[in-house]
Amino acid sequence: MPALHDWRTSVFGAILVAASISGGCSSELLGNPEADFDDYRQRLERVLEVSFEAPEPPEVLKPRYPQRRDLQRQASEFSLGILDIFTLDACTVGQLVAQRNSALGKVASASAIWRYEQAFLASVDDCLRLLGEDVSEVTQLMTALAEVRDVKRQELGIAQWNATFASVEFQALFSTGDGLLQRDFAAARSQQLGRALERLVGYVQGEDTAALDDLEAINATLIANPYPGRVLLSVEAMTAELQSIADTLETLLTHSDGTPCRPERLDDETTKIAMNVLELVYVGRIQPYLAELQKAGHAWIGPLAELSNAIRISNKPPDFQAFAARYLDPEAGVWAAFQAASQRHAQLWTRVRAPVPPSGNAEAVAATIEPVSGCSR
């Protein structure tokens, strides 16, 4: 009998799970934010007796992050004769030139080239001081070195750009291949990504050259945290969802001439039921997810924008500038649209709840929607 009891219990549990899924609870089990909004719409349709249209979910960012070949920039090339290299053996410049011209140097990664350029600039200054002890012998070489140093200093931003925004690692950062982030994702890992990007900003702004040895560790962190693209795609999708809900609520609460109204069917009892839907689905499941998206974005969007501004190159690709204007400005683009959609959704719910007595549970629930900036009557 115990075995039979266990078997029946297992079957009964499986039936309950299946019933929950077929009954509209799959979003709670799977943590899919789009399913949460589907549940939200369906419940509101039954309560408010209006049809809520689901927006078309975005599959990619528009514009997409540009390809590496379109982002990479070419620095000026210089060559020193074999006799000059022998002359430079007394200082580290000769060694650096030899390394850069070697078979391995010619296929070096973008981050290795950035390190090389930083080391070259530092060593040229030391070398010029050393060679200056015998001006009569090396005046021509010193002049050539100084000219190369000045050009490379002006073009250092190209090496920094190729090692960051035009790199394999940044391509991975903005990938959206895995789709939207699910409800159970944690913004905490984005904090690690933000710290890595802050270190990159420090190096671009002139921190100790030796610290650039940390670049490979930073790149490993970027590869291990490919969240920005998926956060941005999720923000796009959630903005569209919020706008869709708000559009229908506004239509419900507005006359054809644009003046506010309230349908008779939206009585106190219906309003309380609607507020219960708001509490159960939006406040309980959707709003925490939106807050995590905001937190995740704030962890790295500032350092990314600062890094882009800190790198000095004269010809940032137009496709990148269009992408940055939409996605990498914390005060504009997709982030401003996300905030505006959230505010509009909250404001319309203040109009839905208006007749409910302040002592009612619905009032307390609506107060948890952030931001609530007043009724638009």
Side-chain angles (χ1 to χ4, degrees), residues 331-352:
E331 304 298 330
V334 68
W335 297 102
F338 186 42
Q339 287 294 321
S342 177
Q343 290 171 358
R344 180 172 173 238
H345 174 265
Q347 289 166 354
L348 283 162
W349 271 103
T350 65
R351 291 174 58 183
V352 171

Side-chain angles (χ1 to χ4, degrees), residues 7-67:
W7 175 80
R8 288 177 175 174
T9 301
S10 299
V11 171
F12 183 65
I15 292 173
L16 282 179
V17 170
S20 297
I21 293 175
S22 63
C25 298
S26 59
S27 61
E28 293 186 59
L29 294 174
L30 301 178
N32 185 323
E34 290 179 303
D36 286 332
F37 265 103
D38 284 341
D39 189 24
Y40 190 30
R41 274 188 293 270
Q42 290 168 12
R43 292 178 187 236
L44 288 178
E45 284 180 347
R46 291 194 291 268
V47 175
L48 301 177
E49 299 179 8
V50 293
S51 177
F52 286 79
E53 294 296 325
E56 191 70 25
E59 296 181 357
V60 296
L61 298 177
K62 296 181 180 179
R64 296 191 187 197
Y65 193 72
Q67 296 294 314

Side-chain angles (χ1 to χ4, degrees), residues 75-76 100 112-122 152 156 159:
S76 301
R100 186 69 180 93
I113 293 173
W114 181 8
R115 292 198 304 272
Y116 163 80
E117 296 294 342
Q118 288 280 156
F120 179 86
L121 288 172
K152 282 188 172 292
L156 181 60

Side-chain angles (χ1 to χ4, degrees), residues 138-359:
V138 293
T139 299
Q140 186 175 356
L141 179 57
M142 288 178 64
T143 301
L145 276 177
E147 290 175 353
V148 171
R149 175 200 59 191
D150 292 344
V151 173
K152 282 188 172 292
R153 184 165 289 155
Q154 292 173 3
E155 294 185 349
L156 181 60
I158 293 177
Q160 296 167 341
W161 175 264
N162 288 341
T164 54
F165 289 98
S167 69
V168 173
E169 291 77 17
F170 272 61
Q171 289 289 320
L173 280 187
F174 294 110
S175 171
T176 59
D178 291 332
L180 303 186
L181 291 165
Q182 297 301 288
R183 180 157 36 92
D184 61 354
F185 94 97
R189 295 188 67 178
S190 290
Q191 305 295 328
Q192 184 181 17
L193 174 60
R195 289 191 293 271
L197 291 169
E198 287 171 356
R199 294 208 303 276
L200 282 179
V201 173
Y203 299 158
V204 168
Q205 292 176 339
E207 287 187 7
D208 187 1
T209 304
L212 280 173
D213 291 338
D214 192 32
L215 272 181
E216 298 309 323
I218 291 176
N219 284 341
T221 299
L222 301 186
I223 289 291
N225 296 279
Y227 295 119
R230 296 181 67 194
V231 169
L232 294 172
L233 189 68
S234 300
V235 167
E236 290 265 37
M238 296 303 100
T239 299
E241 295 280 12
L242 287 167
Q243 288 173 338
S244 175
I245 297 289
D247 285 345
T248 302
L249 289 177
E250 188 161 34
T251 299
L252 177 68
L253 299 169
T254 306
H255 280 298
S256 58
D257 62 1
T259 58
C261 69
R262 189 174 189 85
E264 291 184 3
R265 66 178 179 276
L266 195 56
D267 54 22
D268 285 358
E269 185 60 30
T270 301
T271 298
K272 289 179 180 179
I273 297 173
M275 298 306 290
N276 285 335
V277 172
L278 178 71
E279 177 182 20
L280 178 66
V281 184
Y282 185 80
V283 175
R285 301 206 307 262
I286 294 176
Q287 186 168 283
Y289 174 77
L290 301 183
E292 285 295 294
L293 282 182
Q294 185 84 357
K295 190 187 304 181
H298 282 175
W300 47 259
I301 191 68
L304 265 179
E306 191 176 358
L307 180 63
S308 176
N309 292 332
I311 295 175
R312 302 299 180 187
I313 61 171
S314 59
N315 56 344
K316 288 179 183 175
D319 287 349
F320 172 81
Q321 293 178 344
F323 182 90
R326 177 157 183 79
Y327 295 114
L328 303 186
D329 185 341
E331 304 298 330
V334 68
W335 297 102
F338 186 42
Q339 287 294 321
S342 177
Q343 290 171 358
R344 180 172 173 238
H345 174 265
Q347 289 166 354
L348 283 162
W349 271 103
T350 65
R351 291 174 58 183
V352 171
R353 75 173 186 199
V356 179
S359 59

